[in-house]
Amino acid sequence: MASHRKSRPVGTRVAGIRTPALATAALTSVALLSQSANAAPADDKPSLEEVEKKVDDLYRQAESATDTYNAAKEKTAKQRKQVDTLLDDVAQRTQRLNEAREELGSFAAAQYRTGAAAPDTATFLLADTPQDYFDQTQLMGRLTSRQKGAVDDYVSEQSATMKKRQEASQSLQTLTETQSDLKTAKATVQRKLAGARALLSELTAQEKARLAAIEKRKQQEAARKAAELAQQQAAAEKAAQEATAPQESTSTPTTSAPADSTYATKAAKALAFARAQVGKPYVWGATGPDSYDCSGLTQAAWKAAGVDLPRVTYDQVNAGTTVSLADAQPGDLVFFYDDISHVGLYIGNGMMIHAPKPGAYVREESIYYDGESAIHSVVRPA
């Protein structure tokens, strides 16, 4: 018996709907396009090199913001000390004024007891100055020279006290503004560091390993450049010795100390201090003794040698004589980046001691750690 069922058309079923064979290709294309769209965000993921650059940029920005923070902190401390001094001065002057006012009041009472005038306490207390009160009550002419001198002294002291109060008020306002700058700089540092940590936390273990390999290659290149500089400096020193040696001398030249032996002595003390800090953590805003930021370390090192450096890098760069990299001597300060946001202490042979960045420790490292172009200048601080 023949079946009356119609044969199914060739095609596929999508969501319970039978589709003709001609639509299959179109649906396949749609599916492929959909998969491509879903995969698009993965293509937007930054490369490992881009992540590394972003992290390095954030660390440098954080270090620059740290300098701003350090400057604001130092300024705040100075202004707070100034305000405290002014307030103490105002308090002492106010006490003297109160004592003088009581003495002047006794003058008025004495005049009343002798019947010369009737005292008006309200007028005395509300008068702009004791001079005004005594003029108003016509007592000035009856006062002794000692009493008149007391009035003049009071008026002068009152004027000076008012000026000091205004000065203290202005200083308080400035202090408030500086504290606001300090708070803003601190927030900026924390935001930059949080951004760097967030980028690093998104890396897989494999990516972190690749990043470490990239960093190792950078260190190897930096060490090679440091060795080249060491050779250049040694050759220049040898040439200088030969040029100054007697012509008849055939003895082998010996290494000489820098022309400025006083500087060499101080530099040796600074370097000894810096070496003793190796292994201590970088902490932004820190000046020791347990942790340091870059300028905090150089400041503390040279302080150990009896030289006071400013707190921040962009002030330290002006605290000495600029010399060429080829002429760099141990103890010199090496500054980095266009914004002068990093500094290290040169130890010779293309190497330095510095506090690198958050998460790192004080260490010896090539001055080419971030490439030759990162070096801004070299300064001899004493």
Side-chain angles (χ1 to χ4, degrees):
M1 184 174 178
S3 171
H4 297 287
R5 293 181 180 176
K6 296 180 179 179
S7 60
R8 292 183 178 179
V10 179
T12 58
R13 182 180 296 270
V14 178
I17 302 175
R18 188 179 295 156
T19 59
L22 292 177
T24 302
L27 287 170
T28 301
S29 298
V30 171
L32 290 173
L33 287 172
S34 177
Q35 291 176 2
S36 299
N38 291 334
D43 296 336
D44 292 338
K45 184 178 179 179
S47 67
L48 192 60
E49 289 74 14
E50 290 173 332
V51 170
E52 181 193 29
K53 185 178 185 306
K54 287 182 180 179
V55 169
D56 287 345
D57 286 346
L58 285 169
Y59 276 140
R60 283 199 292 271
Q61 291 169 20
E63 200 159 29
S64 180
T66 296
D67 266 347
T68 302
Y69 170 84
N70 289 337
K73 184 178 180 181
E74 188 176 43
K75 186 177 180 181
T76 297
K78 290 180 180 178
Q79 289 176 341
R80 183 177 288 112
K81 185 176 181 180
Q82 181 184 26
V83 167
D84 289 342
T85 300
L86 286 170
L87 291 177
D88 287 343
D89 189 18
V90 168
Q92 293 173 8
R93 288 177 180 273
T94 301
Q95 177 63 29
R96 290 198 297 268
L97 282 174
N98 289 338
E99 293 171 354
R101 181 178 284 273
E102 292 177 1
E103 183 180 3
L104 292 176
S106 68
F107 293 162
Q111 293 290 342
Y112 172 68
R113 285 193 299 271
T114 60
D120 185 343
T121 303
T123 301
F124 176 73
L125 293 176
L126 295 176
D128 290 336
T129 69
Q131 183 79 48
D132 293 340
Y133 170 74
F134 280 91
D135 286 346
Q136 292 166 12
T137 57
Q138 300 180 346
L139 290 177
M140 203 63 188
R142 301 185 183 90
L143 295 180
T144 65
S145 59
R146 183 180 69 82
Q147 292 169 336
K148 289 180 180 179
V151 172
D152 291 339
D153 291 344
Y154 181 93
V155 172
S156 176
E157 184 69 20
Q158 186 183 51
S159 176
T161 301
M162 290 178 65
K163 290 180 180 179
K164 286 293 182 181
R165 285 175 178 168
Q166 293 173 351
E167 188 177 345
S169 177
Q170 292 172 352
S171 294
L172 280 170
Q173 177 63 31
T174 302
L175 176 59
T176 301
E177 293 171 356
T178 306
Q179 287 175 326
S180 177
D181 294 341
L182 183 65
K183 184 177 180 180
T184 300
K186 182 177 181 179
T188 300
V189 175
Q190 292 174 330
R191 185 172 65 253
K192 299 297 183 182
L193 294 180
R197 286 192 294 267
L199 283 172
L200 291 173
S201 68
E202 295 173 357
L203 297 178
T204 65
Q206 185 178 10
E207 287 173 330
K208 289 179 180 178
R210 287 174 54 203
L211 195 61
I214 292 173
E215 181 63 24
K216 185 176 181 179
R217 287 196 296 271
K218 285 177 61 177
Q219 291 176 355
Q220 291 172 341
E221 174 61 16
R224 186 187 67 78
K225 291 288 293 182
E228 284 184 1
L229 178 62
Q231 291 175 355
Q232 292 170 5
Q233 290 179 328
E237 183 179 352
K238 182 178 180 181
Q241 291 174 2
E242 292 175 346
T244 57
Q247 294 297 322
E248 67 275 12
S249 175
T250 58
S251 60
T252 303
T254 58
T255 302
S256 63
D260 186 352
S261 60
T262 301
Y263 177 77
T265 300
K266 292 179 179 179
K269 293 180 180 179
L271 288 172
F273 178 92
R275 285 192 175 95
Q277 313 313 308
V278 170
K280 294 183 179 180
Y282 175 103
V283 174
W284 66 273
T287 56
D290 300 321
S291 57
Y292 297 88
D293 62 16
C294 66
S295 57
L297 176 64
T298 51
Q299 183 188 48
W302 270 103
K303 187 175 181 62
V307 177
D308 290 326
L309 292 181
R311 174 63 183 92
V312 297
T313 54
Y314 49 77
D315 287 332
Q316 288 185 6
V317 75
N318 296 316
T321 304
T322 301
V323 298
S324 68
L325 183 58
D327 292 331
Q329 293 179 6
D332 291 350
L333 303 177
V334 185
F335 294 90
F336 298 86
Y337 311 116
D338 291 340
D339 59 356
I340 319 176
S341 57
H342 189 68
V343 62
L345 197 66
Y346 191 64
I347 61 177
N349 296 325
M351 302 292 288
M352 67 178 173
I353 298 175
H354 70 147
K357 60 185 178 181
Y361 297 84
V362 176
R363 64 194 184 202
E364 293 187 12
E365 192 166 27
S366 168
I367 61 173
Y368 298 101
Y369 79 106
D370 202 21
E372 187 172 3
S373 62
I375 300 174
H376 177 275
S377 57
V378 180
V379 171
R380 190 156 300 152

